[in-house]
Each structure stands twice: as C-alpha cells, then as structure tokens.
Amino acid sequence: MKKIRIAAILCALTACGFIACKSAPKEEPAPVEEPVTETPQPQPEPEPEPEPQPEPEPEKTDFSEANKALLEKLEEARNKAVEADAKYYYPKEFAAADESGDKVKKDVEENPNTDYSADINDLIARYEALAKAAEAQRMKKRVDEMAFSEFDQAAYDAGSAALDKFGAGGSGAEQLVNASAAYDAYKLLLNKGFIALAGKERNAALEAKKNADSVKAGVSQKETYGQASVSFKKADSSYVTKDIEGAYEGYKFARETYTALFEKVSAARAAAQAAIERAKQRTADSANYASDADEIAPLTAPVKGIEDENAVLLEEDNLANPDDAVINVNEGSTAQAAEKAAAAAIAAEEATNAAIHKGAEVIKSAGNGDAK
C-alpha cells in the first residue's frame, strides 16, 4: 500500500514537470552585432631629419681701443720715469723696459684686435717702479748727506733692503711694491730729519725779513721781495701738509733772498748817504766861495745858468707810505699752524738733544767712577 502511494506521488510530480515545461516561453537569441570595419586613415609621410648645422663661432671682441688707451698710459708712465732720472739711476732696467715696450707696440700694430692688456699693464708697472726707485735713490742720497739715518735706523735698513729686492727683478707689480716700500722709508726719514731744521729755517727767514723791512726793501726791490714772501707762504703750506723737505727749501730760499735784499739795500743806502754827505760838503764849499766872490765883485743882474734861490729844482716826492709795501707772511690759519708745528718740532728736538746729552754725562760719570 505504501509502495502504491509513493508511486502515485512520483507520477504526479512527473506530470507537473511536463506541464511546466510546456507553458514556459521560448527565449529569443540575442542579436549578433556585425563588426564595424574602420576605414584606414592615410598616414603622413615622416619628415626628413634636419641636417646638423655647424655651431656659430663666438663673436670676437675688438681690443683695438683698449690697447690704444693702455699704450697712452704706458707713454705717460715712461715720461714720469724719465722725469725722475730713472735712465741715470737704472740704465739697464730702463733700456730693457724700452725694448719690451717697442715689441708690444709692434705687436699691437700688427694685431690690433688681440688682447695685450696683461703685457702692457706689466710694462706700466715697471716704468712706475723705475720712477719710484729713482726717487728713492735721490732721497737716500740726501739722507746720507744729512746723516738722517740716526733718526730711524730701522727705516733706513728697510729702504735699503727694498731697493735690493727691486734690483733683483720680478714682475712689474712686484717691482712696484719694492720700489714703493723704499720710497716710503726714505720719505719718512727725510721728514723726521727736516722737521726741526725746517722750523729753525722758518724762524731765521722771519728774522731776515724783519731786517729787509727795516731798510724798506719792499719799496726799492718790490719784485724780489715779493718772490721771497711767496716762497715763505708756500713753505708754510708745505710744512702743514707734511712736505717737510719742500718747506725747508722754501724757507731757505726766503731767508737767503731777504738777507740778500737787506745787504743790497743797506749798501745802496750807505752809498747814497755818503753821496749826500759829499754833496753837502761841496755845497758848503761853494757857498763859502760865492760869499767871498760876492764881497769882491757883487752881481747886479741875474746870470744865465744860476737859478733863483727859491726855485724848485726837483718835483715833489709823493711816495706812498713805505710801510704799505711790507707783506705780512705770518698771518692766516696756515701761517699760525706752521708756526705752532715749527715751535713743537724745535722743542722736541731740543728735548731729545738734552736727554742724549744728559745720558752721555751719566755714562761718562759712571765711567769716571769706575776708573777711580
């Protein structure tokens, strides 16, 4: 019975399956898309690769004007060396510089656009060094003449060593450094040596001027007197600006000129005074003779050639005040500054000399004590 029931259920299920299959709608197949064929586009022909172009050459700099300007500076430097007597002090070095200069000038002429600045600047420095070294030699000679090395022996030795280095050669720049060092050392020595001497010379020039003024030299010798006064004033300016040697020379010229004027005018005045005395004597003698003659044979009428006793024989002398011709050289800020500097320099030298003298006396006394 049980088996029959199971079989019935299976049959029922089978029938339901057939019914379901019969009623389901039939699916339509999906449409197939036809492939779209793209029309090929024409490809552009490849451009030919550009041929490599040669790189442009860099534009050349024109050095012609620069060379010309440098050659002008070179000529100026050479002229200064000539003025400093470099040919006299350093003939070989000067000739070598001239030879190099001629060569570089020729090179510039043949190749004006080439840069010759290094060569020309080196030569400029060489000529400048020659000028400095020649001036240093001149100053060294003066230092030796005046025995100024005692004021600063270290400076003197430094100047000599610098001149030796200059003579050893080197580049133009190196020679200029050594020549300048020698110049500075000897300039320092001259200033130290002349500073007190110039102050003393200034005082002496002022004293000589007072003597010249006492005989009215500014009136009778106006031009020469003026030259001496101008020299004195310029010397004051040099003294204040530390050109001590120049100041010394200016004061010296003024002193010598004032002194010469005093002597010349004094001699002329003495000669004139003697002539006046002789004229007075002759006049007195003539008066005595005339008196005797008048007693013997008196004149009764005017005689040609003999003037009346009240006649004016010479025009009146209307000279201006002679004191107005005197030039005051010791007024103004520059003169006052120079006067103070001179006084200080003289005082410093006197103090130094006194200290040296005192030291020498102490040493001498100590030596005498030891001897005893």
Side-chain angles (χ1 to χ4, degrees):
M1 195 62 185
K2 188 177 181 179
K3 292 181 179 180
I4 295 171
R5 187 176 294 175
I6 292 171
I9 292 169
L10 291 170
C11 289
L13 291 171
T14 303
C16 290
F18 280 121
I19 293 170
C21 291
K22 190 175 180 179
S23 60
K26 192 175 182 179
E27 294 182 2
E28 296 182 1
V32 179
E33 294 182 1
E34 296 183 0
V36 178
T37 304
E38 294 182 359
T39 305
Q41 297 294 328
Q43 296 294 326
E45 295 183 3
E47 296 182 0
E49 294 183 3
E51 295 182 3
Q53 297 293 327
E55 294 184 3
E57 295 183 3
E59 186 177 349
K60 292 183 178 180
T61 305
D62 185 358
F63 291 98
S64 57
E65 290 300 321
N67 288 334
K68 181 181 177 182
L70 284 174
L71 287 178
E72 290 176 357
K73 290 184 178 180
L74 178 63
E75 191 64 22
E76 291 176 4
R78 184 184 183 279
N79 290 337
K80 289 181 180 179
V82 171
E83 292 172 2
D85 289 332
K87 282 185 175 182
Y88 169 76
Y89 288 104
Y90 294 100
K92 291 182 180 179
E93 290 82 353
F94 194 92
D98 274 355
E99 184 177 351
S100 299
D102 291 340
K103 181 180 181 303
V104 78
K105 289 175 185 176
K106 182 178 179 183
D107 291 341
V108 170
E109 185 178 354
E110 293 176 352
N111 304 288
N113 294 334
T114 304
D115 183 9
Y116 289 103
S117 60
D119 294 335
I120 301 175
N121 281 323
D122 181 75
L123 274 172
I124 291 173
R126 287 181 187 276
Y127 280 122
E128 290 177 346
L130 281 167
K132 283 283 186 182
E135 290 172 354
Q137 287 283 14
R138 179 190 64 79
M139 289 190 292
K140 180 180 183 298
K141 182 179 179 182
R142 195 74 188 277
V143 166
D144 292 339
E145 290 173 350
M146 305 295 290
F148 284 166
S149 59
E150 63 185 24
F151 289 102
D152 195 335
Q153 187 63 45
Y156 185 86
D157 294 341
S160 298
L163 282 180
D164 290 341
K165 289 181 180 179
F166 168 80
S171 67
E174 292 170 342
Q175 288 185 339
L176 183 56
V177 168
N178 292 324
S180 297
Y183 177 92
D184 292 341
Y186 292 122
K187 184 71 173 177
L188 173 66
L189 276 169
L190 285 176
N191 281 347
K192 283 187 173 183
F194 274 118
I195 188 167
L197 285 180
K200 293 177 181 178
E201 198 67 39
R202 185 180 193 276
N203 291 342
L206 283 174
E207 190 62 30
K209 181 179 181 297
K210 290 178 182 178
N211 292 334
D213 291 341
S214 69
V215 295
K216 313 302 181 186
V219 177
S220 58
Q221 301 290 326
K222 184 176 180 180
E223 183 177 353
T224 306
Y225 180 88
Q227 291 172 353
S229 300
V230 168
S231 178
F232 189 98
K233 289 183 177 181
K234 286 183 178 179
D236 271 351
S237 179
S238 297
Y239 201 73
V240 171
T241 57
K242 305 305 180 185
D243 178 15
I244 308 301
E245 185 179 4
Y248 172 80
E249 294 296 340
Y251 292 138
K252 182 181 177 183
F253 175 82
R255 174 183 60 79
E256 292 174 347
T257 305
Y258 286 136
T259 300
L261 282 174
F262 172 71
E263 293 173 352
K264 181 178 181 179
V265 175
S266 295
R269 286 165 67 93
Q273 187 63 38
I276 291 172
E277 294 299 329
R278 289 194 299 271
K280 285 181 179 179
Q281 186 61 45
R282 286 196 302 270
T283 301
D285 293 344
S286 298
N288 292 333
Y289 177 79
S291 177
D292 293 342
D294 191 47
E295 290 180 2
I296 297 170
L299 296 175
T300 58
V303 178
K304 185 177 181 180
I306 300 179
E307 302 291 345
D308 183 80
E309 60 180 353
N310 296 320
V312 177
L313 301 181
L314 297 174
E315 294 182 3
E316 185 179 357
D317 185 359
N318 290 319
L319 291 176
N321 184 356
D323 291 337
D324 293 340
V326 175
I327 299 174
N328 190 345
V329 297
N330 209 27
E331 65 179 0
S333 59
T334 301
Q336 292 172 6
E339 185 177 18
K340 290 180 181 179
I346 294 171
E349 185 190 46
E350 290 175 350
T352 301
N353 291 338
I356 293 172
H357 180 72
K358 184 176 180 181
E361 288 296 323
V362 171
I363 294 171
K364 183 178 179 180
S365 299
N368 291 337
D370 293 341
K372 293 179 182 179

